[in-house]
Amino acid sequence: MKIHPALTYTAGRTALMAAVAAALFAVGFRSWALVLLAIVISMPLSWFVLRRQREQLAERVAAHQQRRQQERAALRAVLDEQDLDQQDLDEQDLDEPATNQTATKNPGGLAAS
């Protein structure tokens, strides 16, 4: 079973931030600045270290987007075809004369007074 690229990339970024935080802790940072510095340092570092995972994620997202666009185009084609069929039926209904005009004038069947 293949692991989703988003999970791999997220886990890599988290692990990288934890490693930077551990290094900063070893150097002597012990306050909230440790967390902030770990985040700030790990962001550009992940750009280089996690390049392969980021590219795999981008490819997967692009493939998903392309598949959705194809599905959307196919659905639009089907809906346009159904719309044209409905327009043809509506035009045929207008061309045919009404056979029972009393039913259309008095749909409830009640006598007019």
Side-chain angles (χ1 to χ4, degrees), residues 19-30 34:
V20 170
L24 290 173
F25 186 81
V27 171
F29 283 92
R30 302 281 192 267
L34 177 123

Side-chain angles (χ1 to χ4, degrees), residues 42-63:
S42 68
M43 285 184 348
L45 197 58
S46 69
W47 181 260
F48 300 105
V49 174
L50 300 173
R51 170 171 265 145
R52 189 180 80 228
Q53 290 84 0
R54 188 180 61 253
E55 288 174 354
Q56 288 174 351
L57 178 59
E59 288 172 5
R60 177 110 180 220
V61 169

Side-chain angles (χ1 to χ4, degrees), residues 20-87:
V20 170
L24 290 173
F25 186 81
V27 171
F29 283 92
R30 302 281 192 267
S31 67
W32 57 270
L34 177 123
V35 176
L36 290 177
L37 278 173
I39 291 171
V40 169
I41 293 171
S42 68
M43 285 184 348
L45 197 58
S46 69
W47 181 260
F48 300 105
V49 174
L50 300 173
R51 170 171 265 145
R52 189 180 80 228
Q53 290 84 0
R54 188 180 61 253
E55 288 174 354
Q56 288 174 351
L57 178 59
E59 288 172 5
R60 177 110 180 220
V61 169
H64 178 75
Q65 182 181 12
Q66 184 178 15
R67 189 180 82 243
R68 288 289 297 142
Q69 285 177 345
Q70 290 171 349
E71 290 172 355
R72 203 173 301 132
L75 179 60
R76 282 191 182 128
V78 168
L79 291 175
D80 287 344
E81 185 177 312
Q82 288 177 356
D83 190 34
L84 290 175
D85 290 344
Q86 183 62 39
Q87 287 177 358

